Each structure stands twice: as structure tokens, then as C-alpha cells.
Amino acid sequence: MTASSQVTVLVGAQWGDEGKGKWIDVLAADGDLVVRYQGGNNAGHTLYVAGKKVVLHQLPSGIFHSRQTSALAAGVVINPAQLVAEIAKVRDQDVHLTPERLWLSGRAHVITPWHIHVDEQRESRSKSAIGTTKRGIGPTYGDKAARSGLRVGDYVDTAARGRWIQRMKEVEPSFGPLLTTSAEAWAAFEAAADALKPFVCDAESRIRAAARAGKKVLLEGAQGALLDLDHGTYPFVTSSSTGAGGACQSIGLPPRQIDRVIGIAKGYVTRVGAGPFPTELHDQVGALIAKKGQEFGATTGRPRRVGWLDGVALRYVVQVNGLDAVVLNKMDILTGLSEVKMCVAYRHPVLGELTELPWSSDVLAACEPVYQTFPGWSTEIPKSGSMAQLPPEAKTFVAAAEAFCGAQITMVGTGPGRDDALYRD
Ligand code: IMP
């Protein structure tokens, strides 16, 4: 972050798993406050701290910076038992996590065993499943929109929680029986309330005050812009607003308060779950990238689908989110390939050549990619330093991606560690 960018939003610029966790951790180093603004424990942010791999699902990825405060804002959904476990895991790593350092919004919504049950049922019964993480995300956001959800502030209040359970018994015939059949899950769910209570506060007014006071605030998105509920590849999306606009809505932060928006993309693309993916590779090259890039879901362990960089989709994400800069991550994974490709248009059997991401997932699914092909490089990319040190072929690829998507590529990821990065001079 530069001195002039006090409030920065970091969004995933593809279908998630771009490596946001690492970059938030890196960019948070000189920050005061890191805020997670949407999603729940469907996310899996992997960091390497002191050489040790840590996967965070709900806590913001800046949590390991000791002088910093972390917040979970109104737009997130919380799995209470899992959050308690995650807090314990982080404390085990000597992080002094007190209520002063972790603000949990009373407005955020709670994922209950009921929501997880509904997610599992819908996924297993449907012939055209979305391929969700089965963490109850869609049903929780669905209840929020239907005004029948349980908010964190009510969850930690025994009487209010009881009223919510009573109401659910009245309106959902299978809710009462589930209380009995999943008694253990409900017991764990209820038990977490007391542990979380000290963290619950009006996180949003504190975040606004920090922004007004000129503190360095990082707003951390989960999943990716192409999984956005409105602007992603619906219905193969997640149920929240993953983009930069979602940060303002989640926190109640005026849009003018945002100074900078950074998108994190990989030098190639991955996707977990179902949905259109024009540049998907089904060959040896795809298998090689998947293996070298260890492309397995951090939350579910599912193998990720792998494909070439989709320039059309990246340009769309730049425009939807107003990206000021793009991080091109995991470029080291492409080293050794004889050629690398970027999709610059789609070819549809009826509509012909398309230069924009279509709004319809059916149309996108029928598209073939039109590629620009670049020579590969076999020289290892230096681990750290300047982007000027990239092998010439990699430089050409980065320059082409930058020109095509319309945002400056300011950082290149070269490995999983905090220091594995090349920066624009
Ligand atoms: P849900 O968010 O569990 O409802 O899943 C909806 C879609 O978003 C599925 O395709 C998931 O695989 C995808 N998804 C959810 N969270 C993540 C993530 O953190 N990374 C990548 N894909 C995700």
C-alpha cells in the first residue's frame, strides 16, 4: 500500500483460490486493521507463517501481525463452533487474540446445523448441483434475505436464540426433528455462544471510525469476483457479494472512503465446483499445472479444475471492480512449459465471436476460447526482487495480460512464502 491508500480492498479476480491469503498477509504488514467482508467457512486462505502452513477459513488473513486488529463485518456468515476452533488454533501459534484485537459483528449472520443440512440435501438431490462446499452458505444468506436468519448478536443471547429456534420449529416442519437427529451438532453450536460473546460488538462503527481516523485498513474478500452473486457466472456462484462493492455494503462504509482496489489473479485459472470454464484444460498440461500448483481445495480437498489465463474474464473483473492493480500470482508454476496461452475472445456456435463475458452461463458454457499463444520459459523466475528480473518470455506474457485487461500488474507471485514476490520498480 502507498501512503495515500489508507483503505484498500483486495478481491479475488477469478473463481477463488487465487492466493489471497498470502497477499493479504503480505500487504497487511504495515496495516492497522484487516476486515473480512463476506463469505464464511467456505473459504480457505492458506498462509505460510515462519515456514508453517496455516489454513484460515473465517479469521482474516492478517491475524498473524501482532499489532493489528481483525474484524468480521456484517456481510460475513459465521459457523460458531468452527470459529471457536479457529481462534484456539491461532492462539496455539502464540497470537494474543483478545476481544480488543478481534471484532465480531453482531449483525453478521450465523450458519446453523439446519443451514448445513439444507445445503447438503439440495446438493445431493439435484441433478444439476452447483458443487457447493456444503458449509450451509447459500441457505444462511437465503434466510438473511428472507428475514428469517439468526444474527450473531441474537445467537449469543440465550433468550433471543431460543426465540429463533421456536420460530423455525413453527415455520419449517423438518426443523424440530433435526434438533433431535443432529443433537450433537446442535450441542456444539450452542456451546460456542459463550466463547464468542466477548468478541461481539458494533464492528462496523469501529471500522468506520478507524477509516475516518486515517488508519490503514485492508478489506479482505473471500472467494472470487466471478463467484459474485450478481456479477458472477450465476447460478454457479457463491451467495454473497464478493466484489469491491460488497465491501462497502457489508461494512456500511461509504464508497468514497475506498482509496484503492487490488485484484489477485493467478497466471492461469482454477475453478472448484460446477459451472462454465471456457479455458479449462483436460490434457497433460492441465494435469501438470494442477500437480505443480497443488491445486486442491483448502476447504474441501476437492481437485481444482485448471485452465489457461482468461483475459476476457479478467478484463471484466477489472471493469466491474475498478481494479487499480492486479497481482499475478503463482507465475513460477508456469515455468518449464513450452508455450503459455491467454484467452482473448470466446467463439460461440450461434453468436459467433464474443469479446465480453456473457451474462448467461449457458452461453458461456457453449463457448470455445480464442487464444493468443506465447513462448514459454525454462529459466527459473527469481524468488524475490523486481519484476524486471522476470525471464523475457514471462515479461512478454505479463505485459500482454496487463495490456489486455486494462489494469497494471504491479506484483508477481513466485512461491507460497511471505517474501516470494517480485514487485514493479
Ligand atoms: P458455496 O459458497 O459453498 O455455496 O459454493 C458455491 C460455489 O462457490 C461452488 O462452486 C464452490 O466450489 C465455490 N466456492 C466457495 N468458496 C470457495 C472458495 O473459497 N474458493 C473457491 N471456490 C469457492
Side-chain angles (χ1 to χ4, degrees), residues 15-17 20 42-45 119 130-138 222-224 227 235-239 271-274 299 302 304:
W15 278 288
D17 306 316
K20 290 180 290 298
N42 48 347
H45 291 170
D119 197 3
I130 290 165
T132 74
T133 58
K134 298 188 184 166
R135 299 296 192 267
I137 305 298
Q223 289 83 47
L227 289 171
F236 303 100
V237 293
T238 190
S239 298
R271 173 162 206 170
V272 234
T299 297
R302 290 181 290 177
R304 296 175 184 147

PDB file of all heavy atoms in Angstrom, residues 15-17 20 42-45 119 130-138 222-224 227 235-239 271-274 299 302 304, ligand 1:
ATOM      1  N   TRP A  15     -12.117 -17.259 -10.046  1.00  0.00           N
ATOM      2  CA  TRP A  15     -13.168 -18.012  -9.356  1.00  0.00           C
ATOM      3  C   TRP A  15     -12.719 -18.450  -7.958  1.00  0.00           C
ATOM      4  O   TRP A  15     -13.068 -19.533  -7.502  1.00  0.00           O
ATOM      5  CB  TRP A  15     -13.569 -19.245 -10.176  1.00  0.00           C
ATOM      6  CG  TRP A  15     -14.537 -18.964 -11.281  1.00  0.00           C
ATOM      7  CD1 TRP A  15     -15.856 -18.657 -11.150  1.00  0.00           C
ATOM      8  CD2 TRP A  15     -14.285 -19.006 -12.696  1.00  0.00           C
ATOM      9  NE1 TRP A  15     -16.426 -18.481 -12.392  1.00  0.00           N
ATOM     10  CE2 TRP A  15     -15.493 -18.690 -13.353  1.00  0.00           C
ATOM     11  CE3 TRP A  15     -13.145 -19.268 -13.461  1.00  0.00           C
ATOM     12  CZ2 TRP A  15     -15.607 -18.649 -14.739  1.00  0.00           C
ATOM     13  CZ3 TRP A  15     -13.256 -19.221 -14.848  1.00  0.00           C
ATOM     14  CH2 TRP A  15     -14.471 -18.919 -15.472  1.00  0.00           C
ATOM     15  N   GLY A  16     -11.928 -17.646  -7.316  1.00  0.00           N
ATOM     16  CA  GLY A  16     -11.440 -18.007  -5.978  1.00  0.00           C
ATOM     17  C   GLY A  16     -10.120 -18.751  -6.062  1.00  0.00           C
ATOM     18  O   GLY A  16      -9.628 -19.093  -7.155  1.00  0.00           O
ATOM     19  N   ASP A  17      -9.495 -18.952  -4.888  1.00  0.00           N
ATOM     20  CA  ASP A  17      -8.248 -19.707  -4.783  1.00  0.00           C
ATOM     21  C   ASP A  17      -7.097 -19.065  -5.548  1.00  0.00           C
ATOM     22  O   ASP A  17      -6.215 -19.757  -6.063  1.00  0.00           O
ATOM     23  CB  ASP A  17      -8.436 -21.165  -5.252  1.00  0.00           C
ATOM     24  CG  ASP A  17      -9.578 -21.832  -4.519  1.00  0.00           C
ATOM     25  OD1 ASP A  17      -9.653 -21.661  -3.295  1.00  0.00           O
ATOM     26  OD2 ASP A  17     -10.398 -22.505  -5.166  1.00  0.00           O
ATOM     27  N   LYS A  20      -5.229 -15.323  -2.200  1.00  0.00           N
ATOM     28  CA  LYS A  20      -5.498 -14.072  -1.467  1.00  0.00           C
ATOM     29  C   LYS A  20      -4.875 -14.077  -0.078  1.00  0.00           C
ATOM     30  O   LYS A  20      -4.349 -13.073   0.376  1.00  0.00           O
ATOM     31  CB  LYS A  20      -7.010 -13.851  -1.320  1.00  0.00           C
ATOM     32  CG  LYS A  20      -7.703 -13.510  -2.615  1.00  0.00           C
ATOM     33  CD  LYS A  20      -9.180 -13.305  -2.401  1.00  0.00           C
ATOM     34  CE  LYS A  20      -9.931 -14.564  -2.071  1.00  0.00           C
ATOM     35  NZ  LYS A  20      -9.918 -15.612  -3.083  1.00  0.00           N
ATOM     36  N   ASN A  42     -16.684 -21.391   3.940  1.00  0.00           N
ATOM     37  CA  ASN A  42     -16.479 -21.975   2.603  1.00  0.00           C
ATOM     38  C   ASN A  42     -15.096 -21.588   2.083  1.00  0.00           C
ATOM     39  O   ASN A  42     -14.551 -22.243   1.205  1.00  0.00           O
ATOM     40  CB  ASN A  42     -17.581 -21.525   1.619  1.00  0.00           C
ATOM     41  CG  ASN A  42     -17.843 -20.021   1.623  1.00  0.00           C
ATOM     42  OD1 ASN A  42     -17.399 -19.308   2.513  1.00  0.00           O
ATOM     43  ND2 ASN A  42     -18.574 -19.545   0.639  1.00  0.00           N
ATOM     44  N   ALA A  43     -14.550 -20.501   2.599  1.00  0.00           N
ATOM     45  CA  ALA A  43     -13.228 -20.041   2.148  1.00  0.00           C
ATOM     46  C   ALA A  43     -12.123 -20.834   2.844  1.00  0.00           C
ATOM     47  O   ALA A  43     -12.317 -21.366   3.934  1.00  0.00           O
ATOM     48  CB  ALA A  43     -13.066 -18.569   2.476  1.00  0.00           C
ATOM     49  N   GLY A  44     -10.985 -20.881   2.199  1.00  0.00           N
ATOM     50  CA  GLY A  44      -9.810 -21.486   2.825  1.00  0.00           C
ATOM     51  C   GLY A  44      -8.622 -20.655   2.399  1.00  0.00           C
ATOM     52  O   GLY A  44      -8.206 -20.703   1.245  1.00  0.00           O
ATOM     53  N   HIS A  45      -8.109 -19.818   3.289  1.00  0.00           N
ATOM     54  CA  HIS A  45      -6.978 -18.960   2.947  1.00  0.00           C
ATOM     55  C   HIS A  45      -5.702 -19.563   3.530  1.00  0.00           C
ATOM     56  O   HIS A  45      -5.562 -19.691   4.737  1.00  0.00           O
ATOM     57  CB  HIS A  45      -7.215 -17.544   3.465  1.00  0.00           C
ATOM     58  CG  HIS A  45      -8.324 -16.831   2.728  1.00  0.00           C
ATOM     59  ND1 HIS A  45      -8.851 -15.639   3.132  1.00  0.00           N
ATOM     60  CD2 HIS A  45      -8.987 -17.161   1.592  1.00  0.00           C
ATOM     61  CE1 HIS A  45      -9.782 -15.275   2.267  1.00  0.00           C
ATOM     62  NE2 HIS A  45      -9.888 -16.179   1.333  1.00  0.00           N
ATOM     63  N   ASP A 119     -28.232 -27.287   2.797  1.00  0.00           N
ATOM     64  CA  ASP A 119     -27.234 -27.219   1.717  1.00  0.00           C
ATOM     65  C   ASP A 119     -26.905 -28.640   1.228  1.00  0.00           C
ATOM     66  O   ASP A 119     -26.913 -28.928   0.013  1.00  0.00           O
ATOM     67  CB  ASP A 119     -25.971 -26.522   2.254  1.00  0.00           C
ATOM     68  CG  ASP A 119     -25.035 -26.018   1.159  1.00  0.00           C
ATOM     69  OD1 ASP A 119     -25.369 -26.156  -0.024  1.00  0.00           O
ATOM     70  OD2 ASP A 119     -23.954 -25.476   1.507  1.00  0.00           O
ATOM     71  N   ILE A 130     -24.664 -27.375  -7.813  1.00  0.00           N
ATOM     72  CA  ILE A 130     -23.726 -26.264  -8.007  1.00  0.00           C
ATOM     73  C   ILE A 130     -22.300 -26.698  -7.646  1.00  0.00           C
ATOM     74  O   ILE A 130     -21.332 -26.144  -8.134  1.00  0.00           O
ATOM     75  CB  ILE A 130     -24.187 -25.065  -7.139  1.00  0.00           C
ATOM     76  CG1 ILE A 130     -25.472 -24.490  -7.737  1.00  0.00           C
ATOM     77  CG2 ILE A 130     -23.125 -23.976  -7.032  1.00  0.00           C
ATOM     78  CD1 ILE A 130     -26.222 -23.569  -6.820  1.00  0.00           C
ATOM     79  N   GLY A 131     -22.233 -27.736  -6.815  1.00  0.00           N
ATOM     80  CA  GLY A 131     -20.908 -28.147  -6.334  1.00  0.00           C
ATOM     81  C   GLY A 131     -20.472 -27.248  -5.200  1.00  0.00           C
ATOM     82  O   GLY A 131     -19.319 -26.803  -5.149  1.00  0.00           O
ATOM     83  N   THR A 132     -21.396 -26.942  -4.279  1.00  0.00           N
ATOM     84  CA  THR A 132     -21.056 -26.054  -3.166  1.00  0.00           C
ATOM     85  C   THR A 132     -20.085 -26.760  -2.219  1.00  0.00           C
ATOM     86  O   THR A 132     -19.841 -27.967  -2.338  1.00  0.00           O
ATOM     87  CB  THR A 132     -22.300 -25.646  -2.339  1.00  0.00           C
ATOM     88  OG1 THR A 132     -22.726 -26.757  -1.546  1.00  0.00           O
ATOM     89  CG2 THR A 132     -23.441 -25.161  -3.221  1.00  0.00           C
ATOM     90  N   THR A 133     -19.615 -26.016  -1.244  1.00  0.00           N
ATOM     91  CA  THR A 133     -18.724 -26.593  -0.243  1.00  0.00           C
ATOM     92  C   THR A 133     -19.519 -27.317   0.851  1.00  0.00           C
ATOM     93  O   THR A 133     -18.937 -27.871   1.772  1.00  0.00           O
ATOM     94  CB  THR A 133     -17.870 -25.486   0.420  1.00  0.00           C
ATOM     95  OG1 THR A 133     -18.769 -24.526   1.003  1.00  0.00           O
ATOM     96  CG2 THR A 133     -16.975 -24.791  -0.588  1.00  0.00           C
ATOM     97  N   LYS A 134     -20.835 -27.252   0.753  1.00  0.00           N
ATOM     98  CA  LYS A 134     -21.751 -27.870   1.731  1.00  0.00           C
ATOM     99  C   LYS A 134     -21.508 -27.346   3.150  1.00  0.00           C
ATOM    100  O   LYS A 134     -21.607 -28.093   4.124  1.00  0.00           O
ATOM    101  CB  LYS A 134     -21.638 -29.398   1.692  1.00  0.00           C
ATOM    102  CG  LYS A 134     -22.036 -29.976   0.338  1.00  0.00           C
ATOM    103  CD  LYS A 134     -22.105 -31.474   0.386  1.00  0.00           C
ATOM    104  CE  LYS A 134     -22.408 -32.037  -0.978  1.00  0.00           C
ATOM    105  NZ  LYS A 134     -22.187 -33.467  -1.081  1.00  0.00           N
ATOM    106  N   ARG A 135     -21.183 -26.079   3.247  1.00  0.00           N
ATOM    107  CA  ARG A 135     -20.979 -25.453   4.558  1.00  0.00           C
ATOM    108  C   ARG A 135     -22.202 -24.643   4.997  1.00  0.00           C
ATOM    109  O   ARG A 135     -22.131 -23.892   5.962  1.00  0.00           O
ATOM    110  CB  ARG A 135     -19.734 -24.543   4.533  1.00  0.00           C
ATOM    111  CG  ARG A 135     -18.434 -25.259   4.212  1.00  0.00           C
ATOM    112  CD  ARG A 135     -18.096 -26.277   5.311  1.00  0.00           C
ATOM    113  NE  ARG A 135     -16.743 -26.777   5.196  1.00  0.00           N
ATOM    114  CZ  ARG A 135     -16.387 -27.883   4.535  1.00  0.00           C
ATOM    115  NH1 ARG A 135     -17.301 -28.610   3.919  1.00  0.00           N
ATOM    116  NH2 ARG A 135     -15.112 -28.269   4.509  1.00  0.00           N
ATOM    117  N   GLY A 136     -23.297 -24.761   4.229  1.00  0.00           N
ATOM    118  CA  GLY A 136     -24.525 -24.068   4.634  1.00  0.00           C
ATOM    119  C   GLY A 136     -24.580 -22.606   4.214  1.00  0.00           C
ATOM    120  O   GLY A 136     -25.405 -21.833   4.710  1.00  0.00           O
ATOM    121  N   ILE A 137     -23.702 -22.218   3.294  1.00  0.00           N
ATOM    122  CA  ILE A 137     -23.573 -20.800   2.923  1.00  0.00           C
ATOM    123  C   ILE A 137     -24.843 -20.266   2.242  1.00  0.00           C
ATOM    124  O   ILE A 137     -25.414 -19.249   2.675  1.00  0.00           O
ATOM    125  CB  ILE A 137     -22.345 -20.600   1.989  1.00  0.00           C
ATOM    126  CG1 ILE A 137     -21.062 -21.153   2.649  1.00  0.00           C
ATOM    127  CG2 ILE A 137     -22.212 -19.152   1.563  1.00  0.00           C
ATOM    128  CD1 ILE A 137     -20.635 -20.504   3.932  1.00  0.00           C
ATOM    129  N   GLY A 138     -25.279 -20.944   1.183  1.00  0.00           N
ATOM    130  CA  GLY A 138     -26.451 -20.472   0.427  1.00  0.00           C
ATOM    131  C   GLY A 138     -27.689 -20.369   1.312  1.00  0.00           C
ATOM    132  O   GLY A 138     -28.360 -19.323   1.346  1.00  0.00           O
ATOM    133  N   ALA A 222     -13.408 -12.791   0.114  1.00  0.00           N
ATOM    134  CA  ALA A 222     -13.212 -14.244   0.016  1.00  0.00           C
ATOM    135  C   ALA A 222     -13.782 -14.699  -1.328  1.00  0.00           C
ATOM    136  O   ALA A 222     -14.422 -13.916  -2.030  1.00  0.00           O
ATOM    137  CB  ALA A 222     -13.915 -14.938   1.168  1.00  0.00           C
ATOM    138  N   GLN A 223     -13.540 -15.947  -1.686  1.00  0.00           N
ATOM    139  CA  GLN A 223     -13.925 -16.471  -3.000  1.00  0.00           C
ATOM    140  C   GLN A 223     -13.376 -15.557  -4.105  1.00  0.00           C
ATOM    141  O   GLN A 223     -12.289 -15.031  -3.938  1.00  0.00           O
ATOM    142  CB  GLN A 223     -15.450 -16.636  -3.101  1.00  0.00           C
ATOM    143  CG  GLN A 223     -16.000 -17.776  -2.245  1.00  0.00           C
ATOM    144  CD  GLN A 223     -16.233 -17.394  -0.812  1.00  0.00           C
ATOM    145  OE1 GLN A 223     -16.810 -16.361  -0.536  1.00  0.00           O
ATOM    146  NE2 GLN A 223     -15.796 -18.216   0.108  1.00  0.00           N
ATOM    147  N   GLY A 224     -14.131 -15.325  -5.175  1.00  0.00           N
ATOM    148  CA  GLY A 224     -13.582 -14.503  -6.254  1.00  0.00           C
ATOM    149  C   GLY A 224     -14.691 -13.756  -6.963  1.00  0.00           C
ATOM    150  O   GLY A 224     -15.880 -14.081  -6.822  1.00  0.00           O
ATOM    151  N   LEU A 227     -17.392 -15.418  -8.815  1.00  0.00           N
ATOM    152  CA  LEU A 227     -18.363 -16.160  -7.989  1.00  0.00           C
ATOM    153  C   LEU A 227     -19.341 -15.200  -7.323  1.00  0.00           C
ATOM    154  O   LEU A 227     -20.106 -15.598  -6.442  1.00  0.00           O
ATOM    155  CB  LEU A 227     -17.636 -16.996  -6.921  1.00  0.00           C
ATOM    156  CG  LEU A 227     -16.861 -18.226  -7.420  1.00  0.00           C
ATOM    157  CD1 LEU A 227     -16.020 -18.819  -6.290  1.00  0.00           C
ATOM    158  CD2 LEU A 227     -17.797 -19.288  -7.976  1.00  0.00           C
ATOM    159  N   PRO A 235     -26.004 -19.594 -12.143  1.00  0.00           N
ATOM    160  CA  PRO A 235     -26.128 -19.834 -10.703  1.00  0.00           C
ATOM    161  C   PRO A 235     -24.899 -20.492 -10.073  1.00  0.00           C
ATOM    162  O   PRO A 235     -24.932 -20.854  -8.904  1.00  0.00           O
ATOM    163  CB  PRO A 235     -27.317 -20.808 -10.640  1.00  0.00           C
ATOM    164  CG  PRO A 235     -27.163 -21.624 -11.901  1.00  0.00           C
ATOM    165  CD  PRO A 235     -26.611 -20.684 -12.934  1.00  0.00           C
ATOM    166  N   PHE A 236     -23.836 -20.648 -10.855  1.00  0.00           N
ATOM    167  CA  PHE A 236     -22.635 -21.325 -10.324  1.00  0.00           C
ATOM    168  C   PHE A 236     -21.753 -20.287  -9.620  1.00  0.00           C
ATOM    169  O   PHE A 236     -20.647 -19.961 -10.077  1.00  0.00           O
ATOM    170  CB  PHE A 236     -21.906 -22.044 -11.455  1.00  0.00           C
ATOM    171  CG  PHE A 236     -22.800 -23.036 -12.155  1.00  0.00           C
ATOM    172  CD1 PHE A 236     -23.407 -22.722 -13.361  1.00  0.00           C
ATOM    173  CD2 PHE A 236     -23.076 -24.262 -11.568  1.00  0.00           C
ATOM    174  CE1 PHE A 236     -24.255 -23.617 -13.986  1.00  0.00           C
ATOM    175  CE2 PHE A 236     -23.923 -25.168 -12.185  1.00  0.00           C
ATOM    176  CZ  PHE A 236     -24.515 -24.841 -13.388  1.00  0.00           C
ATOM    177  N   VAL A 237     -22.268 -19.768  -8.557  1.00  0.00           N
ATOM    178  CA  VAL A 237     -21.621 -18.683  -7.804  1.00  0.00           C
ATOM    179  C   VAL A 237     -21.787 -18.978  -6.324  1.00  0.00           C
ATOM    180  O   VAL A 237     -22.471 -19.934  -5.943  1.00  0.00           O
ATOM    181  CB  VAL A 237     -22.292 -17.324  -8.137  1.00  0.00           C
ATOM    182  CG1 VAL A 237     -22.028 -16.913  -9.574  1.00  0.00           C
ATOM    183  CG2 VAL A 237     -23.799 -17.359  -7.862  1.00  0.00           C
ATOM    184  N   THR A 238     -21.207 -18.136  -5.490  1.00  0.00           N
ATOM    185  CA  THR A 238     -21.499 -18.232  -4.068  1.00  0.00           C
ATOM    186  C   THR A 238     -22.621 -17.232  -3.768  1.00  0.00           C
ATOM    187  O   THR A 238     -23.086 -16.525  -4.662  1.00  0.00           O
ATOM    188  CB  THR A 238     -20.232 -18.035  -3.205  1.00  0.00           C
ATOM    189  OG1 THR A 238     -20.542 -18.381  -1.851  1.00  0.00           O
ATOM    190  CG2 THR A 238     -19.700 -16.597  -3.277  1.00  0.00           C
ATOM    191  N   SER A 239     -23.068 -17.174  -2.514  1.00  0.00           N
ATOM    192  CA  SER A 239     -24.298 -16.417  -2.246  1.00  0.00           C
ATOM    193  C   SER A 239     -24.046 -15.017  -1.709  1.00  0.00           C
ATOM    194  O   SER A 239     -24.944 -14.410  -1.143  1.00  0.00           O
ATOM    195  CB  SER A 239     -25.161 -17.202  -1.261  1.00  0.00           C
ATOM    196  OG  SER A 239     -25.508 -18.434  -1.839  1.00  0.00           O
ATOM    197  N   ARG A 271     -10.870 -23.460 -10.967  1.00  0.00           N
ATOM    198  CA  ARG A 271     -12.261 -23.363 -10.522  1.00  0.00           C
ATOM    199  C   ARG A 271     -12.594 -24.647  -9.767  1.00  0.00           C
ATOM    200  O   ARG A 271     -12.225 -25.735 -10.221  1.00  0.00           O
ATOM    201  CB  ARG A 271     -13.136 -23.185 -11.767  1.00  0.00           C
ATOM    202  CG  ARG A 271     -14.603 -23.232 -11.488  1.00  0.00           C
ATOM    203  CD  ARG A 271     -15.501 -22.664 -12.568  1.00  0.00           C
ATOM    204  NE  ARG A 271     -16.672 -22.264 -11.808  1.00  0.00           N
ATOM    205  CZ  ARG A 271     -17.681 -21.554 -12.227  1.00  0.00           C
ATOM    206  NH1 ARG A 271     -17.705 -21.125 -13.461  1.00  0.00           N
ATOM    207  NH2 ARG A 271     -18.673 -21.253 -11.434  1.00  0.00           N
ATOM    208  N   VAL A 272     -13.270 -24.534  -8.641  1.00  0.00           N
ATOM    209  CA  VAL A 272     -13.788 -25.738  -7.943  1.00  0.00           C
ATOM    210  C   VAL A 272     -15.300 -25.709  -8.050  1.00  0.00           C
ATOM    211  O   VAL A 272     -15.897 -24.645  -8.015  1.00  0.00           O
ATOM    212  CB  VAL A 272     -13.487 -25.786  -6.426  1.00  0.00           C
ATOM    213  CG1 VAL A 272     -12.798 -27.056  -6.032  1.00  0.00           C
ATOM    214  CG2 VAL A 272     -12.757 -24.582  -5.928  1.00  0.00           C
ATOM    215  N   GLY A 273     -15.886 -26.869  -8.139  1.00  0.00           N
ATOM    216  CA  GLY A 273     -17.337 -26.920  -8.273  1.00  0.00           C
ATOM    217  C   GLY A 273     -17.729 -26.821  -9.733  1.00  0.00           C
ATOM    218  O   GLY A 273     -16.873 -26.722 -10.623  1.00  0.00           O
ATOM    219  N   ALA A 274     -19.047 -26.854  -9.976  1.00  0.00           N
ATOM    220  CA  ALA A 274     -19.540 -26.881 -11.356  1.00  0.00           C
ATOM    221  C   ALA A 274     -19.590 -25.476 -11.936  1.00  0.00           C
ATOM    222  O   ALA A 274     -19.353 -24.497 -11.231  1.00  0.00           O
ATOM    223  CB  ALA A 274     -20.928 -27.519 -11.377  1.00  0.00           C
ATOM    224  N   THR A 299     -10.491 -26.014   1.575  1.00  0.00           N
ATOM    225  CA  THR A 299     -11.601 -26.287   2.482  1.00  0.00           C
ATOM    226  C   THR A 299     -12.099 -27.710   2.331  1.00  0.00           C
ATOM    227  O   THR A 299     -12.300 -28.428   3.310  1.00  0.00           O
ATOM    228  CB  THR A 299     -12.752 -25.283   2.211  1.00  0.00           C
ATOM    229  OG1 THR A 299     -12.262 -23.980   2.494  1.00  0.00           O
ATOM    230  CG2 THR A 299     -13.970 -25.557   3.088  1.00  0.00           C
ATOM    231  N   ARG A 302     -11.136 -30.915  -2.576  1.00  0.00           N
ATOM    232  CA  ARG A 302     -11.504 -31.326  -3.945  1.00  0.00           C
ATOM    233  C   ARG A 302     -10.438 -30.865  -4.942  1.00  0.00           C
ATOM    234  O   ARG A 302      -9.898 -29.761  -4.801  1.00  0.00           O
ATOM    235  CB  ARG A 302     -12.828 -30.671  -4.351  1.00  0.00           C
ATOM    236  CG  ARG A 302     -14.025 -31.196  -3.621  1.00  0.00           C
ATOM    237  CD  ARG A 302     -15.292 -30.507  -4.094  1.00  0.00           C
ATOM    238  NE  ARG A 302     -15.355 -29.106  -3.682  1.00  0.00           N
ATOM    239  CZ  ARG A 302     -16.342 -28.282  -4.016  1.00  0.00           C
ATOM    240  NH1 ARG A 302     -17.331 -28.704  -4.789  1.00  0.00           N
ATOM    241  NH2 ARG A 302     -16.356 -27.039  -3.585  1.00  0.00           N
ATOM    242  N   ARG A 304      -8.988 -29.027  -7.988  1.00  0.00           N
ATOM    243  CA  ARG A 304      -9.490 -27.864  -8.720  1.00  0.00           C
ATOM    244  C   ARG A 304      -9.361 -28.104 -10.221  1.00  0.00           C
ATOM    245  O   ARG A 304      -8.387 -28.713 -10.659  1.00  0.00           O
ATOM    246  CB  ARG A 304      -8.689 -26.618  -8.335  1.00  0.00           C
ATOM    247  CG  ARG A 304      -8.850 -26.243  -6.883  1.00  0.00           C
ATOM    248  CD  ARG A 304      -7.934 -25.082  -6.517  1.00  0.00           C
ATOM    249  NE  ARG A 304      -8.025 -24.795  -5.088  1.00  0.00           N
ATOM    250  CZ  ARG A 304      -7.017 -24.348  -4.350  1.00  0.00           C
ATOM    251  NH1 ARG A 304      -5.838 -24.132  -4.887  1.00  0.00           N
ATOM    252  NH2 ARG A 304      -7.196 -24.121  -3.071  1.00  0.00           N
TER     253      ARG A 304
HETATM  254  P1  IMP B   1     -20.763 -22.245  -1.608  1.00  0.00           P
HETATM  255  O1  IMP B   1     -20.093 -20.931  -1.414  1.00  0.00           O
HETATM  256  O2  IMP B   1     -20.310 -23.315  -0.652  1.00  0.00           O
HETATM  257  O3  IMP B   1     -22.257 -22.123  -1.636  1.00  0.00           O
HETATM  258  O4  IMP B   1     -20.347 -22.797  -3.066  1.00  0.00           O
HETATM  259  C1  IMP B   1     -20.738 -22.140  -4.265  1.00  0.00           C
HETATM  260  C2  IMP B   1     -19.634 -22.193  -5.305  1.00  0.00           C
HETATM  261  O5  IMP B   1     -18.548 -21.384  -4.859  1.00  0.00           O
HETATM  262  C3  IMP B   1     -19.045 -23.578  -5.549  1.00  0.00           C
HETATM  263  O6  IMP B   1     -18.647 -23.688  -6.900  1.00  0.00           O
HETATM  264  C4  IMP B   1     -17.811 -23.607  -4.653  1.00  0.00           C
HETATM  265  O7  IMP B   1     -16.833 -24.520  -5.102  1.00  0.00           O
HETATM  266  C5  IMP B   1     -17.352 -22.165  -4.813  1.00  0.00           C
HETATM  267  N1  IMP B   1     -16.564 -21.705  -3.677  1.00  0.00           N
HETATM  268  C6  IMP B   1     -16.998 -21.379  -2.440  1.00  0.00           C
HETATM  269  N2  IMP B   1     -15.982 -20.975  -1.660  1.00  0.00           N
HETATM  270  C7  IMP B   1     -14.886 -21.021  -2.426  1.00  0.00           C
HETATM  271  C8  IMP B   1     -13.511 -20.682  -2.199  1.00  0.00           C
HETATM  272  O8  IMP B   1     -13.106 -20.224  -1.127  1.00  0.00           O
HETATM  273  N3  IMP B   1     -12.672 -20.878  -3.260  1.00  0.00           N
HETATM  274  C9  IMP B   1     -13.099 -21.320  -4.467  1.00  0.00           C
HETATM  275  N4  IMP B   1     -14.356 -21.641  -4.724  1.00  0.00           N
HETATM  276  C10 IMP B   1     -15.255 -21.481  -3.715  1.00  0.00           C
END
